[in-house]
Amino acid sequence: MSSATTPARQDAPRGRIDKREAIVAAAFTVFARSGYASASLQEIAHEAGVAKPTVYNHFADKETVFRHAMTVASERVLAENLTVVARLRDPGTDLRAALEDVAYRLIRHCCSEPSRALRWLTYAQVARFPDLIDIVMSRTSDRLADALADRFARLSLAGRLRTCDPATTAEQFLVLVTGPMEGRTRLGTSKVSTTEMRTVAATAVDTFLRAYAIP
């Protein structure tokens, strides 16, 4: 009898984690679709495929699940961007091509639906949740800039880029790459073509290398 019930007890924590993850993912979808004010825990429960009391078993209220959803979404966006930046660990002989590839892929992620929703929700709710800027930016922009700074420092030491302050160099690269997209996408509300993304990436890298390439 006891051996038959043991697996169920062992699976229970995993099942609880799976439900929590499903609720958080569903919450971000609902908040992105309906906005914070209009979203309800009932809608989140329906999206997650669980009963409303199950949501309350994991989160005290809508504000709590919102913060968790924004944090997890930020972590996922960061993970995608860090994967892109890792390309610069071994840029090959053509540094310009490697930088253009990184720039283009960063722009694609910047224009992706999860990233657009994350920015939109941050802009929309920062007055209600002033700490939201820190929650999102510390997990996206700041850590991405740190990763880029590390790559640029190594490229400088290797004689591939001018001697530079890595943090400033990373900041300037990100501004050149992502800055134009805020205007072109109308703060994330409009889509841009692949051709336009590649043009922005190439222009950004050209400007960057004019400042940092070794003659």
Side-chain angles (χ1 to χ4, degrees):
M1 181 71 176
S2 60
S3 62
T5 58
T6 298
R9 288 199 298 269
Q10 291 175 338
D11 291 344
R14 179 68 257 174
R16 180 175 175 81
I17 292 171
D18 289 344
K19 284 185 179 179
R20 184 181 180 87
E21 291 176 349
I23 292 168
V24 170
F28 186 74
T29 298
V30 171
F31 287 128
R33 182 173 63 219
S34 303
Y36 178 81
S38 298
S40 68
L41 292 183
Q42 180 60 57
E43 187 180 3
I44 292 170
H46 179 76
E47 184 76 24
V50 301
K52 185 176 179 180
T54 302
V55 178
Y56 280 112
N57 287 339
H58 292 271
F59 302 100
D61 49 34
K62 186 168 75 169
E63 177 179 333
T64 303
V65 73
F66 177 70
R67 290 181 183 279
H68 276 272
M70 293 294 283
T71 299
V72 170
S74 298
E75 293 283 0
R76 286 176 177 166
V77 168
L78 173 64
E80 292 173 348
N81 285 332
L82 290 181
T83 299
V84 172
V85 172
R87 164 79 167 82
L88 293 177
R89 288 179 181 172
D90 183 16
T93 57
D94 192 339
L95 181 58
R96 178 184 291 271
L99 288 170
E100 286 189 9
D101 179 55
V102 168
Y104 168 66
R105 290 164 65 191
L106 286 175
I107 289 172
R108 279 184 56 191
H109 285 310
C110 177
C111 294
S112 70
E113 196 57 41
S115 292
R116 293 199 306 160
L118 188 63
R119 292 198 304 279
W120 177 72
L121 285 167
T122 302
Y123 297 151
Q125 299 305 321
V126 70
R128 184 191 295 264
F129 305 108
D131 62 325
L132 199 57
I133 288 291
D134 288 333
I135 290 174
V136 175
M137 292 196 67
S138 66
R139 290 171 171 81
T140 53
S141 300
D142 294 348
R143 287 168 62 182
L144 175 59
D146 289 343
L148 267 173
D150 178 73
R151 293 297 101 205
F152 289 147
R154 293 174 185 274
L155 288 170
S156 179
L157 288 172
R160 307 288 301 273
L161 292 175
R162 290 180 184 273
T163 300
C164 60
D165 174 62
T168 300
T169 306
E171 180 182 51
Q172 291 175 343
F173 183 81
L174 286 174
V175 168
L176 288 170
V177 169
T178 63
M181 304 316 297
E182 289 294 272
R184 289 171 182 255
T185 63
R186 297 295 187 266
L187 298 181
T189 60
S190 300
K191 293 184 178 181
V192 296
S193 67
T194 297
T195 299
E196 191 170 357
M197 291 182 196
R198 290 195 179 279
T199 298
V200 171
T203 302
V205 170
D206 184 64
T207 302
F208 179 79
L209 288 177
R210 286 175 185 271
Y212 291 104
I214 295 177

